[in-house]
Amino acid sequence: MPEQATVSAHHPDGAATVLRDDGVLVDVPAAAVAAGGWRALRPGQRVTLDRDPAGGVRALLRPV
């Protein structure tokens, strides 16, 4: 099941911090933001986390 989250902050270096629906903050690297095709994110925006087998965020996708 995809993890849904809300953007908490989009950082100047391209990284982001998101708040998962279960209340956990997750730092997302700039490469994962870019992999989702985002040029900019805004606080409050809904996203989906795509994780690699090790649990790291590999892409921040549009909400499903």
Side-chain angles (χ1 to χ4, degrees), residues 4-64:
Q4 300 292 307
T6 303
V7 175
S8 177
H10 188 215
H11 308 295
D13 66 353
T17 303
V18 300
L19 180 65
R20 289 190 334 207
D21 287 353
D22 64 0
V24 175
L25 281 172
V26 177
D27 290 321
V28 179
V33 174
W38 301 99
R39 287 186 291 174
L41 294 167
R42 65 184 186 287
Q45 189 167 2
R46 297 287 293 164
V47 294
T48 299
L49 301 175
D50 178 30
R51 295 202 181 251
D52 61 27
V57 180
R58 64 178 159 206
L60 199 60
L61 306 172
R62 305 223 179 267
V64 229

